[in-house]
Amino acid sequence: MGTISSAFDLISSGLDADQSALSIVANNVANANTPGYAREVPNWQENSPVEINGVSYGAGVTETGPTSVRDSVLDLRLAQQQQLASASSARLTALNSIQALFTPDSGSSSSAGGDIGTDITSFFESFSSLEANPADNAYRQQVLSSAKTLAGNVSNAAASLESQKAAIDQDAAGVISQINALTTEIAQLNQQIQSTSPDGEAGVLEDQRVQDISQLSQLIGINQITTENNGLSITTTSGQLLVSEDTNDALTSGITGGVTHLFLGGTDVTTQLASGGGELGGYLTARDQDISNALSALDQLANQISTSVNSQNNSGTDLDGLEGTGVNSAGVSGTGNSPLYIFTQPTQVAGSALAMSVVITDPNQIAAASFGGGTGDDSNTVAMANLANQPIVNGQTPSNYYAQFVSVLGSTVSEVQTENSAQNASVTQLQTQQNALSGVNLNDEASVMQQLETSYQAASQVFSLLNTIMTSALNLGVETAVS
Amino acid sequence: MESQPECRVEFDLKNVIREASRALALLDTDRLEELAFSCQALNRNPIPQDYAEQARIAREARRDLIVFERVLEVTRANIGVMRILQKSRKGRLEYHPGEG
């Protein structure tokens, strides 16, 4: 076996392997800026030696193809952190919009939704001003005007919150389209990978699949399950199947009880997706938790203020001498035919904020006097002013209830901001690590290229030498052994 | 003759903590070490401030400190993952005779 011919074969295999490895380096350099590309390294494999009469003869080398450098543990951790960071970013954006409705901007005295806190104070103070002059039209107008401002700002804030809900539904619909496009693509890639690379490295296809999964994990909370033949199944964090190897289930949306719900395979998964992470999770948490809480607090405030003020006004006599239909604190019933209300009388708590409005136009209809009291009587006005200091809204005064609502909202924004900062820091750390591992470093590639070039030159030298020996041997006509 | 204006030094705790969070996010150990040395130096020679002033500075930096604490927590968790990664890569590079 140890012939010049076999030596040619050996060195040819070396030249071929070097050339193949150089192609891998060239591909790395070409894809240095390609998003999602993981650098590849050549795999060298010694050809099985040939054994003759107990002597082993080397058979050269083969470059068996490239392997992408990536780590699934790191990819998984990065995907998890991206889910959390995307969820908190989406939620934070919505929370900032909610907060802008209730908290004045710096340097400004009122917020986007007016200043409900001041409106509450002004409204009850207007009754205090009326106490001294219960028949004065100007003071009555002031009560009416401050009631309109309060009702208007509460109703506008509720309408803005409803608009934000609708905007979130639209954003969520956009996210659902992206999710469905990605799961379709991942299912197709699974099929290609399973048919072309069932046991090993899938190269470009794997790069594409990893990149798609990374994008998907920013949109929705997912779990990955590796299946046989290099396949992959993807579920939501609560276990609903999104991709099963080469098939995918599409997310759909539908209206249930006036609210957009999300379905997967016919099952309503809205609640599960809200807590699952990703942009979609953040949107749903903002819509179903943060906005809902704010709306419900406003509804409670509007309902209790309207009900208490109406009840008190209905227990008095207006400037035209008309009595309400209520019963006063002394247990005396009014003789009126219809109730004397200032605000729209709520029938239920839900929707009270949006519906809050002033129903009287004539300031004379403010019942400043008690039953049987004359135009100079202010006893019912005093009672209405005192409502400001009574626990009429969920056991708190109206101002304290509103202040606490704004304070809780501020704390929530602050908490989510903190979480978002930490999660973004975590994503930065992991991306840096992933780039160091899988990214193409041009200096490293230049160094590898230099090594391969030297190896190729050395093989060429051997080839050239063998050629010289072969020529000499042919001239002599004698076979020359090479050992 | 005009008197020299009093040089007022204020310890910007808030920005020091923000800078530390940023350096930690980027795993910039050199910058973190610089900040640690600065804090050590300040501890040795504290800037004279009354209690109320110190309390104000601490209050203002409270939120940034909470963020720093959370960044520190996620960094610990990430370092755990990186250690596993390093260990598995080291294992692949080492020569184990008799295996395979």
Side-chain angles (χ1 to χ4, degrees):
Chain A
M1 283 302 285
T3 61
I4 292 181
S5 164
S6 63
F8 267 119
D9 287 344
L10 285 175
I11 209 63
S12 294
S13 74
L15 283 167
D16 286 345
D18 283 340
Q19 206 167 42
S20 174
L22 274 166
S23 306
I24 293 167
V25 173
N27 192 44
N28 281 343
V29 173
N31 284 290
N33 297 317
T34 305
Y37 178 80
R39 81 185 159 91
E40 295 175 339
V41 290
N43 284 310
W44 305 93
Q45 193 182 328
E46 184 189 2
N47 293 337
S48 301
V50 178
E51 202 165 305
I52 298 170
N53 294 332
V55 181
S56 182
Y57 296 93
V61 68
T62 304
E63 196 285 299
T64 57
T67 303
S68 297
V69 182
R70 63 165 57 88
D71 188 276
S72 55
V73 176
L74 186 62
D75 288 345
L76 208 62
R77 171 80 182 164
L78 181 57
Q80 284 169 349
Q81 293 297 296
Q82 276 175 332
Q83 288 167 27
L84 295 173
S86 302
S88 59
S89 287
R91 189 178 171 198
L92 188 59
T93 307
L95 274 169
N96 281 332
S97 302
I98 299 170
Q99 200 182 31
L101 288 172
F102 302 107
T103 312
D105 296 332
S106 57
S108 163
S109 60
S110 71
S111 57
D115 190 350
I116 295 170
T118 307
D119 295 342
I120 294 169
T121 312
S122 303
F123 173 64
F124 287 108
E125 276 179 0
S126 68
F127 283 109
S128 302
S129 306
L130 186 64
E131 281 172 29
N133 305 284
D136 190 312
N137 187 56
Y139 287 111
R140 284 174 171 270
Q141 283 288 3
Q142 199 185 333
V143 171
L144 209 56
S145 164
S146 57
K148 278 180 182 167
T149 306
L150 171 63
N153 281 339
V154 169
S155 180
N156 285 343
S160 297
L161 288 172
E162 291 289 358
S163 302
Q164 281 182 23
K165 264 188 171 181
I168 283 178
D169 278 345
Q170 271 194 341
D171 289 341
V175 171
I176 290 168
S177 305
Q178 290 178 59
I179 290 169
N180 289 339
L182 283 168
T183 53
T184 307
E185 196 169 291
I186 291 169
Q188 285 167 355
L189 284 167
N190 275 343
Q191 194 181 25
Q192 286 173 283
I193 289 170
Q194 283 184 307
S195 60
T196 58
S197 320
D199 303 318
E201 173 61 33
V204 178
L205 292 174
E206 185 62 48
D207 286 349
Q208 186 62 51
R209 186 165 69 173
V210 168
Q211 206 190 359
D212 282 353
I213 291 169
S214 169
Q215 281 179 23
L216 187 66
S217 64
Q218 288 174 46
L219 301 173
I220 184 172
I222 54 165
N223 284 329
Q224 302 171 45
I225 304 151
T226 310
T227 59
E228 60 182 13
N229 300 330
N230 221 355
L232 191 74
S233 286
I234 296 174
T235 68
T236 63
T237 41
S238 49
Q240 290 85 18
L241 209 56
L242 279 167
V243 178
S244 175
E245 298 195 331
D246 59 351
T247 56
N248 70 301
D249 275 342
L251 258 179
T252 54
S253 63
I255 308 289
T256 306
V259 180
T260 306
H261 280 239
L262 306 182
F263 300 88
L264 199 53
T267 310
D268 189 339
V269 289
T270 315
T271 314
Q272 290 93 321
L273 292 182
S275 58
E279 212 175 317
L280 191 61
Y283 282 141
L284 293 175
T285 306
R287 188 194 71 174
D288 297 341
Q289 189 179 308
D290 302 322
I291 296 182
S292 286
N293 286 350
L295 261 175
S296 132
L298 269 189
D299 280 340
Q300 199 66 249
L301 182 77
N303 182 281
Q304 302 298 311
I305 290 179
S306 300
T307 308
S308 304
V309 169
N310 282 350
S311 171
Q312 196 59 56
N313 199 59
N314 197 32
S315 302
T317 308
D318 73 10
L319 198 60
D320 299 327
L322 287 174
E323 288 187 1
T325 58
V327 181
N328 68 12
S329 54
V332 178
S333 296
T335 57
N337 295 324
S338 55
L340 291 176
Y341 290 155
I342 292 178
F343 296 110
T344 314
Q345 178 68 4
T347 51
Q348 57 176 15
V349 176
S352 295
L354 195 62
M356 192 177 190
S357 64
V358 174
V359 290
I360 56 170
T361 49
D362 183 358
N364 286 359
Q365 289 176 292
I366 295 163
S370 60
F371 290 147
T375 52
D377 179 28
D378 69 347
S379 50
N380 206 41
T381 317
V382 173
M384 282 202 270
N386 284 343
L387 288 175
N389 304 313
Q390 286 174 19
I392 59 170
V393 190
N394 273 17
Q396 294 180 76
T397 65
S399 291
N400 284 351
Y401 179 84
Y402 182 73
Q404 197 192 14
F405 155 68
V406 173
S407 162
V408 169
L409 180 62
S411 298
T412 308
V413 174
S414 179
E415 274 169 33
V416 176
Q417 245 165 7
T418 301
E419 278 309 300
N420 187 244
S421 303
Q423 283 151 2
N424 283 335
S426 178
V427 169
T428 305
Q429 285 174 357
L430 294 165
Q431 273 173 343
T432 309
Q433 190 67 19
Q434 195 189 44
N435 285 341
L437 180 69
S438 302
V440 177
N441 182 320
L442 291 175
N443 291 338
D444 289 351
E445 297 302 324
S447 158
V448 172
M449 203 151 61
Q450 190 72 46
Q451 280 176 16
L452 289 169
E453 192 188 348
T454 309
S455 167
Y456 194 85
Q457 278 170 353
S460 302
Q461 287 283 348
V462 175
F463 196 93
S464 174
L465 186 67
L466 285 172
N467 196 29
T468 310
I469 293 170
M470 179 66 105
T471 310
S472 306
L474 284 172
N475 287 341
L476 288 169
V478 179
E479 192 178 3
T480 306
V482 176
S483 58
Chain B
M1 193 175 155
E2 266 185 47
S3 63
Q4 287 289 319
E6 192 190 341
C7 178
R8 187 175 152 74
V9 181
E10 187 173 299
F11 177 35
D12 195 353
L13 182 63
K14 197 163 75 172
N15 273 327
V16 169
I17 296 169
R18 274 186 194 173
E19 182 63 15
S21 295
R22 202 188 65 83
L24 197 56
L26 299 171
L27 294 175
D28 185 347
T29 47
D30 291 342
R31 185 72 183 127
L32 278 170
E33 207 154 21
E34 280 170 11
L35 289 164
F37 284 137
S38 307
C39 290
Q40 273 180 349
L42 279 163
N43 270 340
R44 278 195 301 272
N45 306 301
I47 298 164
Q49 272 159 344
D50 60 21
Y51 178 76
E53 185 67 359
Q54 284 178 3
R56 183 189 62 81
I57 291 171
R59 253 196 325 274
E60 280 180 3
R62 193 176 157 269
R63 212 189 86 73
D64 295 287
L65 200 60
I66 294 170
V67 172
F68 181 72
E69 191 190 342
R70 284 291 296 124
V71 175
L72 202 59
E73 280 170 21
V74 295
T75 304
R76 278 200 191 107
N78 284 345
I79 284 173
V81 173
M82 288 171 200
R83 275 203 187 118
I84 296 168
L85 176 65
Q86 202 178 22
K87 215 171 165 181
S88 69
R89 283 165 71 193
K90 202 176 159 193
R92 279 203 294 269
L93 292 172
E94 276 173 3
Y95 172 61
H96 299 287
E99 280 184 15

